[in-house]
């Protein structure tokens, strides 16, 4: 029984939510393994829109176990708000359907404050974070001063964690001219939210091992995309966690040998939210058209996404880093009506050519795309459910993408609706 890891192979916003939801129909357990509520997934099910940030996409399916792994940084207040909103849409969420790893670090209000203080102070040099405390929470995790879910059960442990955390944060706040943290108010807020979070706390590593041994299919859901990875992304314009497939093991507690198939999610063009290099970005009418047709606004931030042509060199690189077996190509329908389409096959930096995006920040900023041009199509692909029903030029485009990235297209998405998905190769059968 294949366990499948789903990761974004670009800069996030590739349509992972829909694909995970589609795959979860045959999965038993769905796991979020990194990131926080800076990530957003939009699901459209029978016309109803679900916007999720912390909850795994599989939560909308009855009879499935959803898991938030230890690789996530968890804002407990944001989670409870999301649970209540999702319940109001008729979805059952309880400790029998949702588990949170006991060793998951928490995002506290002071993390959000620090995130926003830094971005404001950076001015034009800001990175473009969501301001939700993700980075500072990961810093406290590796700095060994984080408060974790299991700690909420013991007031003495909470106090000792605050003893270690507050001197660090207060020193930073003084440097920004901000008032020091009200310890008593923070402790009271933590005590109040603890009672709501603790019923979901479990040794998730044990749950996953038991389910695997019983023959369950486990689906791992990543957030953001490969080029926002803190190690392999366009640093420093990245998130604060590892977004590639290897994080599914460390962020959940299930060993890497149990990850059977890695599915990379790839948009049929390229988008990015926030600052940072973007070689194929279009600032002309074509870019505007992609954004309007694709409804390119961030699920969490509402910020307009930057749009550009498909970057095969970028995707080929991310597929190698994540060990991708096949890709899900999404939003093909957005390309309907273009007379011609371009695909980036490499970069030119000065007088040197690269078949991958170089690591140095200066080289990334100066990288100019080397394009290959393909014919577009005038027919509609919206809602197509068979590959043979696509226009000949669309089929040619998909095949060329496969050739350039060196990976097969396993799934092809032609609209936001769950069922408008063409199965080319079954990840569960590989």
């Amino acid at each position: 029984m294949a366990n499948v890891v789903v990761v974004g192979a670009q800069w996030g916003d590739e349509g992972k939510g829909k694909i995970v939801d589609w795959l979860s129909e045959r999965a038993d357990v769905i796991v979020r393994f990194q990131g926080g509520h800076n990530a957003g997934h939009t699901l459209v099910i029978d016309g109803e829109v679900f916007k999720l940030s912390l909850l795994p996409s599989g939560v909308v399916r009855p009879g499935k176990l959803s898991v938030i792994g230890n690789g996530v940084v968890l804002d407990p207040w944001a989670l409870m708000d999301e649970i209540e909103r999702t319940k109001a849409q008729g979805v059952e969420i309880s400790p029998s359907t949702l588990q949170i790893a006991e060793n998951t670090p928490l995002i506290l209000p002071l993390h959000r404050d620090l995130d926003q203080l830094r971005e404001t102070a950076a001015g034009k040099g800001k990175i473009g974070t969501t301001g939700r405390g993700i980075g500072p929470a990961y810093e406290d995790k590796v700095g060994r001063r984080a408060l974790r879910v299991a700690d909420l059960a013991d007031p003495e442990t909470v106090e000792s964690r605050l003893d270690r955390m507050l001197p660090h944060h207060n020193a930073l706040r003084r440097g920004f001219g901000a008032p020091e943290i009200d310890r008593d108010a923070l402790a009271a807020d933590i005590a109040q939210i603890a009672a709501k979070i603790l019923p979901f706390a479990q040794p998730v590593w044990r749950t996953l091992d038991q389910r695997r041994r019983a023959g369950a299919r486990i689906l791992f859901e990543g957030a953001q995309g490969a080029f926002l990875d803190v190690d392999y992304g366009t640093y420093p314009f990245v998130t604060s966690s590892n977004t590639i497939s290897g994080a599914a093991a460390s962020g959940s507690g299930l060993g890497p040998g149990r990850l059977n198939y890695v599915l990379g999610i790839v948009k049929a063009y390229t988008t990015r939210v926030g600052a940072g290099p973007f070689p194929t970005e279009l600032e002309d009418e074509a870019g505007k058209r992609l954004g309007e047709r694709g409804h390119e606004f961030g699920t969490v931030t509402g910020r307009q996404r930057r749009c550009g042509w498909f970057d095969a060199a970028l995707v080929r690189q991310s597929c190698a880093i994540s060990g991708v077996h096949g890709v899900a190509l999404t939003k093909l329908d957005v390309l309907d009506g273009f007379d011609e389409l371009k695909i980036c096959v490499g970069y030119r930096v000065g007088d040197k050519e690269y078949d991958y995006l170089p690591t140095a920040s200066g080289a990334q900023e100066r990288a100019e795309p080397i394009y290959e041009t393909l014919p577009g199509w005038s027919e509609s692909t919206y809602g197509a459910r068979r590959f043979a029903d696509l226009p000949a030029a669309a089929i040619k485009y998909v095949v060329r993408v496969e050739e350039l990235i060196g990976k097969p297209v396993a799934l092809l998405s032609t609209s936001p609706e769950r069922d408008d998905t063409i199965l080319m190769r079954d990840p569960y059968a590989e």
Side-chain angles (χ1 to χ4, degrees):
M1 304 291 281
N3 296 324
V4 177
V5 182
V6 175
V7 291
Q10 294 160 309
W11 275 292
D13 306 307
E14 302 96 347
K16 292 182 293 295
K18 172 190 168 174
I19 299 300
V20 169
D21 177 54
W22 192 88
L23 289 169
S24 68
E25 183 176 12
R26 288 184 291 155
D28 303 293
V29 184
I30 299 90
V31 185
R32 266 288 307 274
F33 60 84
Q34 51 78 218
H37 64 310
N38 56 338
H41 298 320
T42 300
L43 310 180
V44 182
I45 301 170
D46 297 328
E48 184 164 12
V49 178
F50 295 86
K51 293 183 179 291
L52 306 177
S53 294
L54 281 165
L55 292 172
S57 297
V59 77
V60 299
R61 286 192 177 272
K64 312 293 181 180
L65 175 64
S66 293
V67 170
I68 296 176
N70 58 276
V72 172
V73 283
L74 179 73
D75 183 324
W77 295 275
L79 176 63
M80 294 313 302
D81 286 345
E82 187 174 329
I83 286 174
E84 292 307 315
R85 289 197 311 271
T86 309
K87 279 183 174 181
Q89 291 183 269
V91 177
E92 179 197 353
I93 301 174
S94 69
S96 64
T97 62
L98 174 67
Q99 290 188 10
I100 303 171
E102 294 176 318
N103 51 338
T104 301
L106 299 177
I107 298 175
L108 303 178
L110 54 83
H111 295 121
R112 182 181 63 249
D113 292 346
L114 180 57
D115 205 354
Q116 295 173 2
L117 286 167
R118 283 173 170 166
E119 281 289 270
T120 300
K124 292 182 179 180
K126 63 183 179 180
I127 293 173
T129 76
T130 58
R132 301 194 171 202
I134 310 299
Y138 275 118
E139 289 176 36
D140 277 357
K141 174 183 176 178
V142 298
R144 292 166 292 183
R145 54 182 171 264
L147 183 68
R148 305 197 298 178
V149 170
D151 300 334
L152 296 175
D154 181 10
E156 290 187 6
T157 301
V158 172
E159 290 296 327
S160 69
R161 294 287 187 272
L162 293 181
D163 286 341
R164 184 170 175 82
M165 189 185 300
L166 295 192
H168 173 80
H169 281 269
N170 281 331
L172 292 171
R173 292 169 74 96
R174 287 194 296 271
F176 285 111
E180 293 192 1
I181 296 155
D182 184 333
R183 180 187 178 116
D184 291 340
L186 176 60
D189 289 342
I190 292 170
Q192 186 177 40
I193 200 68
K196 298 179 180 179
I197 294 296
L198 283 171
F200 297 98
Q202 292 291 335
V204 158
W205 64 267
R206 186 167 177 267
T207 298
L208 296 180
D209 183 59
Q210 290 173 340
R211 292 296 183 101
R212 181 195 64 81
R213 290 176 182 275
R217 281 178 173 167
I218 305 174
L219 182 61
F220 296 86
E221 177 183 12
Q224 290 97 23
F227 280 88
L228 292 177
D229 185 278
V230 69
D231 289 311
Y232 294 101
T234 48
Y235 191 91
F237 301 99
V238 294
T239 192
S240 300
S241 61
N242 287 113
T243 62
I244 60 175
S245 63
S250 61
S252 69
L254 192 68
R258 307 303 181 188
L259 309 179
N260 307 114
Y261 187 95
V262 179
L263 181 69
I265 313 300
V266 179
K267 199 175 285 185
Y269 48 102
T270 311
T271 62
R272 175 166 198 166
V273 171
F278 185 175
T280 67
E281 183 173 11
L282 296 171
E283 298 183 33
D284 56 9
E285 282 302 311
K288 182 180 178 182
R289 182 175 173 182
L290 288 171
E292 290 174 350
R293 287 179 57 87
H295 305 290
E296 294 298 350
F297 296 90
T299 301
V300 169
T301 63
R303 290 183 291 184
Q304 186 169 357
R305 297 174 186 139
R306 301 153 64 191
C307 297
W309 295 122
F310 184 79
D311 192 335
L314 192 84
V315 173
R316 184 170 60 243
Q317 184 174 342
S318 67
C319 285
I321 292 167
S322 273
V324 166
H325 295 90
V327 302
L329 189 65
T330 67
K331 290 199 169 185
L332 182 68
D333 55 292
V334 174
L335 300 182
D336 293 353
F338 280 90
D339 293 332
E340 64 177 27
L341 302 166
K342 293 183 179 181
I343 297 178
C344 174
V345 297
Y347 313 98
R348 188 176 289 107
V349 182
D351 59 357
K352 187 173 181 180
E353 291 188 1
Y354 292 84
D355 63 357
Y356 65 94
L357 189 64
T359 303
S361 296
Q364 289 178 350
E365 290 287 354
R366 297 193 305 275
E368 298 178 0
I370 300 171
Y371 283 123
E372 180 177 302
T373 303
L374 279 74
W377 56 89
S378 58
E379 306 95 319
S380 174
T381 64
Y382 188 91
R385 297 187 182 181
R386 294 196 315 153
F387 193 57
D389 292 339
L390 297 176
I395 291 175
K396 181 179 180 180
Y397 184 84
V398 173
V399 170
R400 188 58 180 146
V401 165
E402 290 182 314
E403 293 170 346
L404 289 171
I405 68 174
K407 300 295 176 183
V409 172
L411 297 167
L412 187 59
S413 171
T414 58
S415 93
E417 289 287 347
R418 168 197 284 169
D419 294 329
D420 291 339
T421 304
I422 301 170
L423 179 62
M424 313 272 282
R425 292 172 176 83
D426 189 352
Y428 289 121
E430 296 289 333

